[in-house]
Amino acid sequence: MTNNKTIDPTIKAMLEISEAEGISTAFSRAEAMKPCPIGHKGACCGNCSMGPCRLVKEGQTGICGATIETVAARNFARMIAAGASAHSDHGRDMALTLLAAAEGEAPDYTVRDVNKLLEVAELLDVPTKDRETMEIAKDVAESALAQFGQQKGEILYLKRAPKKRQEVWRRAGIAPRGIDREVVEVMHRTHVGNDQWYESILMAGLR
Ligand code: SF4
């Protein structure tokens, strides 16, 4: 039973034990769970207190007038925003920890891989020549944190993507301006009474 679930021998061993002892796992719960057919299609919207609106008939709209395409796009864009929040907030905490270490407020932390710090400094436009490691670390942390609240332009990490891909994003007008900026815009755009057009909602999600 466990053979086709994972190639990791440790997980395989754990799954065998959990099956033998009747302990539920994400795998067994997924097998037992029948997905809600309306939610599965992204056709249920609970984005405001007038809902939840379930769109089950052809041409039906939510109370706010949102079509099924709009509702599905809103739900999907919000999933993207949640994922971007989760991943970027890990980065924020790392930057805050680096800043605390550089300012002597986190004595248990230090910079072990100086080459990595220099590599990141270059990406974040932080000068490194003839500077102390912790001085560079402080500027790297501050530059990284500034990326979260940046309102205009493009985030500096965009240049890590292949050049062709960067151009595709610029041509489509979806080069991200700031980390928090894009997440907030998706949450705003997908709220009741804002963007009702699925294409622009999805473009904001891509951004
Ligand atoms: S945003 Fe529109 S579709 Fe969604 S719950 Fe509110 S009224 Fe219904």
Side-chain angles (χ1 to χ4, degrees), residues 150-189:
Q150 184 170 286
Q151 305 297 315
K152 292 180 181 175
E154 289 177 2
I155 57 168
L156 291 168
Y157 259 45
L158 194 84
K159 58 188 165 207
R160 295 195 76 197
K163 284 219 159 32
K164 268 192 176 169
R165 178 58 45 193
Q166 292 179 36
E167 286 316 313
V168 169
W169 289 336
R170 287 188 186 111
R171 269 202 307 279
I174 57 170
R177 297 157 290 188
I179 300 167
D180 293 345
R181 175 85 176 82
E182 305 311 343
V183 171
V184 170
E185 176 164 330
V186 165
M187 295 306 288
H188 173 194
R189 199 180 266 274

Side-chain angles (χ1 to χ4, degrees), residues 45-48 50-51 53 62-64 66 71 74 192:
C45 180
N47 286 6
C48 84
M50 290 194 288
C53 297
I63 293 170
C64 65
V71 166
R74 282 175 177 171
V192 62

Side-chain angles (χ1 to χ4, degrees), residues 6-186:
T6 176
I7 58 167
D8 185 317
T10 316
I11 309 261
K12 252 182 207 176
M14 284 178 68
L15 284 175
E16 274 162 18
I17 295 168
S18 60
E19 272 177 24
E21 298 197 8
I23 300 166
S24 78
T25 64
F27 293 105
S28 64
R29 290 190 291 272
E31 275 163 13
M33 179 71 66
K34 195 166 173 272
C36 159
I38 301 160
H40 188 65
K41 284 188 194 157
C44 180
C45 180
N47 286 6
C48 84
S49 56
M50 290 194 288
C53 297
R54 299 187 327 157
L55 307 191
V56 288
K57 294 186 204 131
E58 185 72 30
Q60 195 179 5
T61 64
I63 293 170
C64 65
T67 62
I68 184 159
E69 290 84 0
T70 300
V71 166
R74 282 175 177 171
N75 286 335
F76 185 59
R78 283 192 169 208
M79 283 185 209
I80 299 172
S85 301
H87 287 289
S88 66
D89 217 34
H90 281 121
R92 188 193 325 255
D93 279 334
M94 285 175 68
L96 285 168
T97 306
L98 182 64
L99 184 62
E103 291 181 331
E105 289 170 5
D108 292 339
Y109 290 89
T110 187
V111 175
R112 287 211 185 141
D113 187 344
V114 177
N115 287 335
K116 181 76 177 186
L117 177 71
L118 297 179
E119 203 181 301
V120 176
E122 196 183 331
L123 286 165
L124 292 173
D125 294 343
V126 171
T128 56
K129 199 165 182 292
D130 302 326
R131 299 185 77 201
E132 295 290 328
T133 300
M134 281 313 194
E135 213 184 329
I136 299 168
K138 183 171 186 295
D139 284 357
V140 163
E142 283 175 345
S143 177
L145 289 169
Q147 294 294 290
F148 287 85
Q150 184 170 286
Q151 305 297 315
K152 292 180 181 175
E154 289 177 2
I155 57 168
L156 291 168
Y157 259 45
L158 194 84
K159 58 188 165 207
R160 295 195 76 197
K163 284 219 159 32
K164 268 192 176 169
R165 178 58 45 193
Q166 292 179 36
E167 286 316 313
V168 169
W169 289 336
R170 287 188 186 111
R171 269 202 307 279
I174 57 170
R177 297 157 290 188
I179 300 167
D180 293 345
R181 175 85 176 82
E182 305 311 343
V183 171
V184 170
E185 176 164 330
V186 165

